[in-house]
Amino acid sequence: MATQGGIVFQEKVSRLLRGQNGKPVLKPNRALVLKDAVANRKPKKGEASCITEMSVLMACWKQNNFVDSLCSNEINSFYMCVEKAQADAKNKAGQSNIQGGRLPPKEATGLLKRYPNLCKEI
Amino acid sequence: MAASISGLLKPWTPRVFLVRWSRYNPYYLEPEVSKEAYSQPETELSAEEKEQRELKALRPIKAATSGVTSSVFDDPVISKFINMMMKHGNKVLAREIMTQTLENIKKKQVEKYHKASEGEREAIECNPYTIFHQALENCKPVVGLASIQKGGKYYQVPIPLTDNRRRFLAMKWMITECQDNKHRRTHMYEKLSQELLAAFGKEGNVIKKKYELHKMAEANRAYAHYRWW
């Protein structure tokens, strides 16, 4: 079934290239072949995390002339905020892969490379 | 032996067995070197840990490096420091320097201990390992700077650092400081012990470098919003 549909399709394509009355409809500069890869999506730019904690820490540093022992509370809260932000980012990355309905571009490319488009018989 | 996407990994053992420094198939698991992990009785393990143990009984395991031991004296931080000091693969020399450094620290502290009066003696720390760890902790920066491009210009943006990055920076600063800023006739272990003791007391060039980084970060705090992660 696919081969029969394929022959009809090939004839249509060759008619477009040859053109009616000598004028071709399509003038492709690249071969009319599907690539074995999908274009990547631009990753969404997030916001900077832990800015409040960082600003509090820097204010404390400015006050105490950068001595770390006097700012230990602020430093600990900054570290905890950073850990939380990293854990959130990891969870989000895992979830967004499952949701969305569509296959992510990396996995689509992997699958296409495993079952590539065969251009030649050899 | 090509590593493929994890979903394709099948129960597989090679015909020729691999040696540590070639690339392992991701199917191989990391070895567990510490004795404490094996001395836990069955009841104290959670369900995940039991699953892990059963998995380890079935899967092939990578060979352990010659740098790790199951002895009580094995310290991953000190091993990492030795590896960073090593040049041209001369691990023997790097380890010698490390042991001489620790010995030197101990000698200096014991001398100080015996010279000090009764009241001051308790405050003097003689264990070179605790001095090393505390000195490294004192050298670790809290925030780092990243070069981020915005509108054609590059700005130094303060960013939070991971623990590994902080530890690496502290060790790198220590080693480069001791390699560069010393008299040509002082030995590496001598200079290292001086720097470590200074860092333990929160003085010295490495601590100064850390403070300079903090000051730069504080000066550039307006650009913190240029981060997107």
Side-chain angles (χ1 to χ4, degrees):
Chain A
M1 304 169 297
T3 31
Q4 281 176 3
I7 291 171
V8 170
F9 181 71
Q10 290 288 338
E11 287 191 350
K12 205 168 168 185
V13 168
S14 64
R15 209 180 323 126
L16 285 170
L17 289 172
R18 247 179 299 119
Q20 298 147 322
N21 310 326
K23 278 195 179 164
V25 177
L26 290 179
K27 293 185 212 175
N29 55 0
R30 279 179 283 183
L32 295 174
V33 179
L34 291 172
K35 267 201 300 183
D36 291 329
V38 162
N40 276 324
R41 257 183 245 160
K42 265 192 193 168
K44 275 199 179 153
K45 271 197 175 186
E47 259 187 34
S49 50
C50 300
I51 292 219
T52 42
E53 307 284 330
M54 209 198 288
S55 49
V56 162
L57 173 64
M58 296 201 169
C60 176
W61 271 345
K62 197 82 191 244
Q63 265 187 348
N64 297 332
N65 197 20
F66 294 95
V67 177
D68 278 335
S69 49
L70 299 169
C71 296
S72 49
N73 289 339
E74 281 83 359
I75 293 180
N76 286 336
S77 58
F78 180 64
Y79 286 156
M80 284 200 295
C81 176
V82 164
E83 262 189 64
K84 215 163 62 106
Q86 278 178 347
D88 282 341
K90 260 196 178 174
N91 287 342
K92 234 187 149 186
Q95 274 172 11
S96 62
N97 262 349
I98 302 165
Q99 289 171 0
R102 261 196 259 168
L103 208 59
K106 284 203 175 135
E107 296 192 12
T109 317
L111 278 169
L112 286 170
K113 282 211 159 24
R114 269 192 263 153
Y115 302 103
N117 197 18
L118 302 165
C119 307
K120 303 173 194 167
E121 272 180 44
I122 306 170
Chain B
M1 316 279 173
S4 38
I5 307 174
S6 315
L8 281 194
L9 291 172
K10 294 168 265 205
W12 160 95
T13 30
R15 268 186 296 156
V16 180
F17 282 88
L18 295 156
V19 173
R20 184 68 192 185
W21 298 121
S22 57
R23 187 173 152 223
Y24 281 98
N25 189 313
Y27 193 62
Y28 279 63
L29 301 171
E30 290 288 333
E32 179 62 63
V33 200
S34 64
K35 278 189 196 159
E36 289 89 31
Y38 295 112
S39 56
Q40 277 176 335
E42 281 285 324
T43 44
E44 279 178 33
L45 299 172
S46 66
E48 296 168 340
E49 285 170 357
K50 279 190 182 151
E51 267 183 56
Q52 268 289 316
R53 272 215 188 169
E54 265 154 57
L55 188 66
K56 288 206 164 183
L58 301 167
R59 288 258 196 115
I61 309 226
K62 296 184 197 177
T65 31
S66 36
V68 296
T69 37
S70 54
S71 83
V72 287
F73 303 112
D74 182 39
D75 193 349
V77 180
I78 295 213
S79 308
K80 187 63 86 179
F81 196 78
I82 291 174
N83 285 338
M84 283 182 69
M85 265 205 296
M86 172 167 64
K87 283 188 180 178
H88 311 295
N90 199 344
K91 180 78 151 251
V92 176
L93 184 62
R95 260 193 87 159
E96 259 310 300
I97 295 174
M98 192 72 222
T99 39
Q100 282 170 340
T101 313
L102 294 168
E103 209 184 300
N104 210 320
I105 293 175
K106 179 89 186 214
K107 273 191 198 164
K108 287 184 184 170
Q109 292 294 93
V110 169
E111 205 183 315
K112 241 171 80 174
Y113 181 87
H114 286 299
K115 281 187 188 164
S117 57
E118 275 300 323
E120 291 167 24
R121 280 190 173 182
E122 286 164 1
I124 296 178
E125 177 62 56
C126 281
N127 186 352
Y129 292 96
T130 47
I131 291 182
F132 179 79
H133 287 123
Q134 188 57 46
L136 221 57
E137 273 296 322
N138 293 346
C139 291
K140 284 184 187 175
V142 180
V143 289
L145 290 173
S147 198
I148 292 187
Q149 191 191 25
K150 184 131 179 164
K153 270 175 76 173
Y154 284 91
Y155 298 95
Q156 293 293 320
V157 174
I159 57 164
L161 297 170
T162 55
D163 274 332
N164 278 339
R165 179 74 186 158
R166 292 167 52 226
R167 187 183 68 169
F168 169 77
L169 281 174
M171 290 191 192
K172 189 80 184 170
W173 289 341
M174 181 66 75
I175 293 174
T176 38
E177 159 69 38
C178 292
Q179 282 173 349
D180 301 336
N181 294 353
K182 71 176 170 83
H183 184 61
R184 67 175 183 87
R185 293 213 62 172
T186 35
H187 292 284
M188 179 71 173
Y189 66 83
E190 178 64 45
K191 175 74 181 170
L192 247 182
S193 57
Q194 284 169 10
E195 273 303 323
L196 284 169
L197 283 169
F200 183 68
K202 301 213 179 162
E203 323 158 319
N205 284 345
V206 192
I207 300 282
K208 205 171 81 164
K209 191 153 182 185
K210 178 184 93 152
Y211 282 152
E212 273 168 22
L213 182 66
H214 283 178
K215 281 177 191 162
M216 275 278 283
E218 207 274 328
N220 285 0
R221 66 186 188 276
Y223 300 135
H225 288 277
Y226 287 0
R227 223 179 355 131
W228 60 85
W229 68 93

